[in-house]
Amino acid sequence: MDLKRLPKNPVEITIGMIGCKWKILIIKELLSGTMRFSEIKKSLKGITQKVLTTKLRELEEVGLLVRNQEKSKVEYTLTDVGYSLQPVIISMNDWGKDYKKYQKLLAHN
């Protein structure tokens, strides 16, 4: 992202960088370490190869991950900035669990 083009609202900056389902799920997977393209694709049910390729490129462009290629082996690793999103991802995970419990309680009442 170009510093001159960054929105004034910090939440808008974050949404601009990771504001889609697939980007967030890719980051979540890479929090456990370096992965190959095929491993990421296998872990994300329903994502197409084209969408995964696009989202990985977008995350690389904004500096959240790096693409390492050695011969025919391509791997993706989060940068320090990418890893700094871990508390955000953990909070989203925890909130989702709590919301699911809440919905189950409502269904039983």
Side-chain angles (χ1 to χ4, degrees), residues 22-53:
W22 294 119
K23 288 181 185 179
I24 293 168
L25 293 174
I26 291 166
I27 294 167
K28 180 182 178 289
E29 291 302 316
L30 290 174
L31 284 170
S32 62
T34 300
M35 294 176 77
R36 295 179 76 168
F37 183 92
S38 59
E39 294 172 319
I40 300 169
K41 187 170 183 331
K42 185 177 179 182
S43 69
L44 299 175
K45 306 293 182 224
I47 193 167
T48 65
Q49 186 164 331
K50 181 180 179 182
V51 170
L52 179 55
T53 299

Side-chain angles (χ1 to χ4, degrees), residues 53-67:
T53 299
T54 300
K55 298 309 172 189
L56 287 168
R57 284 183 185 148
E58 290 172 2
L59 290 168
E60 185 179 14
E61 286 173 12
V62 296
L64 295 179
L65 62 79
V66 290
R67 180 182 188 267

Side-chain angles (χ1 to χ4, degrees), residues 81-100:
V81 176
Y83 276 111
S84 73
L85 287 164
Q86 186 169 13
V88 175
I89 304 295
I90 290 170
S91 292
M92 291 174 74
N93 187 68
D94 292 346
W95 188 90
K97 284 181 187 177
D98 290 345
Y99 186 75
K100 194 172 184 178

Side-chain angles (χ1 to χ4, degrees), residues 18 69 74:
I18 65 168
Q69 183 169 359
V74 179

Side-chain angles (χ1 to χ4, degrees), residues 6-14:
L6 287 177
K8 290 183 181 182
N9 184 325
V11 174
E12 191 175 345
I13 294 169
T14 306

